[in-house]
Amino acid sequence: MEANLPKNLHFAGWTLNLARLSLEGEGREIFLRPKSFEVLRYLAANPGRVVTKDELIETVWSGTFVTDDSLVQCIKDIREAICDQERRIVKTLPRRGYLFAALVTDGATSPISADSVSPIRFAKSGEVHIAYQVWGEGPRHLVFCPGFVTHVESLWSEPGMARFLRRMGQFARVIMFDKRGTGMSDRVDKVPGLDERVDDLRAVLDAVDVERAAIIGPSEGGSLAAYFAATHPHRCEALVLYGAFARFASWIRSEEALQGLLQYIDTSWGSGASLPMFAPSMVGNAAFQGWWGRYERLGATPAAAMALMRLNSKIDITDILPSIRVPTLVIHRTADACVDVEGGRQLAASIPNARLVELAGVDHLPWVGDNADEILWRIEEFLASREPAGAVRHHSR
């Protein structure tokens, strides 16, 4: 076994002990048959990626002739060991291979610096400077639209998010930015509407010399992404909406709830106490809540966050959805604690030929939860079925 491999891989409550060649979980240690262990190790080392049968056989059996039955038996052994009868972790993709859909970590906790990916740059949108960053080596451009508030540099200091972003960069050249008034972009006197935000997105595309790109919009960023696809179809080749909505009521369902959130921003912004709304499974994780509090403080001032929320309360793009003509994928967790799944269903029903994927889970943040890797795989699979608009151009901007 390679000397530089980690001692353990962790996934879905299980630990793959690479020193003892065992599987640990549920208070017991399991010793799989050697070939079954090697298949599991290889799949867990390649989460979120389709691994073909030929690749597995060549890797595990190393040139020895075996039939598919041997591999199928190993997969059966693995599923029985990790109680995966419903195939939520090891997924079979007919005629393609297998996908390991669980989030896998090696126990590393050190933050990843944004500077190790690419420097922060600034695009000019009128007189406003928009902070953006580019990374990845994939065959197509993918713009990651920001949600409520963001801070592109701070995102990389959360290990789970850093891993999520790096994985995205394996199948796309990713462009991420902060909306005006938030993060590292210029603060502005007037809260921007959707038209101004769309112009900021266009300015970033111009700054990196990209004519057309796929656009992914999580949460509030989904409204911006959809609006851009409707108003700039010549610059959008595909659209992905995650945990998104057309009407604000899918997020904050009443005036009372809105006033409660505004009260939190006014008196407790930066404490991270809003975490249950965005990532219920991380409640009780002191390190994550501490990061979340810093993320709030860096993302916007309390006054700016309150102004943005009041503006967001007016979001309703239902009328423009039928005019979207680009291929669209809508992903939504069915028990999303922040944006009701009906918001995603409305998007998919209103956008012509949109594809809806509903996944289990309560977390709104896409990189949190056991199926974070499946979210990435669904996006990768969807984009892979689209022909890229053109070759990726590398430059220093």
Side-chain angles (χ1 to χ4, degrees):
M1 190 172 294
E2 297 89 333
N4 63 345
L5 276 175
K7 293 182 180 179
N8 299 303
L9 292 175
H10 309 282
F11 64 91
W14 296 92
T15 295
L16 199 60
N17 191 316
L18 300 181
R20 290 177 55 81
L21 303 182
S22 66
L23 178 68
E24 301 167 359
E26 299 185 347
R28 56 198 174 107
E29 184 174 24
I30 302 170
F31 290 91
L32 293 166
R33 293 187 303 162
K35 294 302 183 186
S36 296
F37 182 87
E38 288 302 309
V39 170
L40 176 57
R41 187 190 82 153
Y42 192 78
L43 289 172
N46 293 273
R49 180 173 74 83
V50 178
V51 178
T52 66
K53 290 183 179 181
D54 289 344
E55 180 180 348
L56 274 169
I57 289 173
E58 181 179 349
T59 301
V60 174
W61 281 268
S62 189
T64 304
F65 176 78
V66 294
T67 65
D68 285 354
D69 291 342
S70 298
L71 176 58
V72 170
Q73 183 59 52
C74 288
I75 297 294
K76 181 179 179 182
D77 291 346
I78 292 166
R79 285 176 173 148
E80 288 180 354
I82 63 176
C83 305
D84 189 33
Q85 288 80 5
E86 295 184 4
R87 303 187 180 188
R88 293 181 179 272
I89 299 174
V90 181
K91 296 180 177 290
T92 300
L93 306 180
R95 297 183 298 280
R96 297 188 63 193
Y98 298 97
L99 172 79
F100 200 81
L103 178 67
V104 181
T105 64
D106 62 5
T109 57
S110 57
I112 300 171
S113 168
D115 290 337
S116 69
V117 181
S118 74
I120 304 295
R121 303 293 189 189
F122 293 90
K124 286 292 290 292
S125 179
E127 296 302 314
V128 178
H129 297 83
I130 304 298
Y132 71 90
Q133 188 177 44
V134 183
W135 75 94
E137 300 298 331
R140 60 178 17 90
H141 300 285
L142 175 63
V143 178
F144 194 102
C145 282
F148 172 35
V149 296
T150 57
H151 189 283
V152 292
E153 196 165 53
S154 178
L155 282 170
W156 295 93
S157 67
E158 204 294 296
M161 182 57 169
R163 178 186 174 278
F164 189 89
L165 295 176
R166 285 190 181 278
R167 173 72 183 86
M168 191 178 292
Q170 292 177 0
F171 60 81
R173 186 77 169 159
V174 188
I175 305 160
M176 184 169 64
F177 66 99
D178 288 331
K179 295 194 299 280
R180 62 172 65 199
T182 69
M184 302 178 74
S185 294
D186 282 347
R187 298 299 187 254
V188 291
D189 295 331
K190 179 184 175 184
V191 180
L194 278 177
D195 287 321
E196 290 167 300
R197 293 177 182 179
V198 160
D199 202 52
D200 293 344
L201 197 165
R202 178 206 53 75
V204 171
L205 285 177
D206 289 347
V208 295
D209 195 25
V210 170
E211 182 60 29
R212 297 187 73 216
I215 313 290
I216 177 171
S219 192
E220 178 202 314
S223 304
L224 170 58
Y227 195 76
F228 184 86
T231 56
H232 292 68
H234 58 292
R235 305 207 68 173
C236 179
E237 66 177 29
L239 178 64
V240 179
L241 305 173
Y242 166 81
F245 57 89
R247 297 176 63 249
F248 182 74
S250 296
W251 178 7
I252 306 295
R253 297 166 181 80
S254 68
E255 179 62 25
E256 181 181 5
L258 174 60
Q259 291 305 316
L261 181 55
L262 290 172
Q263 176 69 16
Y264 164 76
I265 297 172
D266 189 37
T267 61
S268 303
W269 185 250
S271 68
S274 65
L275 187 60
M277 176 188 292
F278 296 93
S281 71
M282 301 304 287
V283 172
N285 185 320
F288 193 93
Q289 181 162 343
W291 173 83
W292 186 248
R294 289 191 299 275
Y295 187 65
E296 287 182 340
R297 296 191 298 272
L298 292 170
T301 66
M306 292 173 68
L308 283 169
M309 187 52 64
R310 291 191 179 98
L311 180 72
N312 290 340
S313 69
K314 298 179 173 57
I315 289 179
D316 185 347
I317 59 168
T318 51
D319 289 346
I320 65 99
L321 297 178
S323 67
I324 295 175
R325 291 293 182 266
V326 301
T328 301
L329 171 67
V330 179
I331 304 175
H332 215 110
R333 284 172 168 151
T334 53
D336 188 318
C338 186
V339 177
D340 193 279
V341 67
E342 289 300 329
R345 290 169 180 166
Q346 180 186 19
L347 288 169
S350 302
I351 298 173
N353 303 312
R355 176 186 173 193
L356 174 64
V357 173
E358 295 187 10
L359 302 175
V362 297
D363 293 301
H364 184 61
L365 303 181
W367 75 92
V368 174
D370 289 340
N371 51 14
D373 277 307
E374 182 173 1
I375 290 171
L376 284 169
W377 166 69
R378 295 282 189 171
I379 296 169
E380 180 181 14
E381 181 188 49
F382 172 71
L383 294 180
S385 66
R386 321 257 79 83
E387 192 68 30
V392 172
R393 288 171 282 181
H394 299 276
H395 42 73
S396 59
R397 279 194 279 180

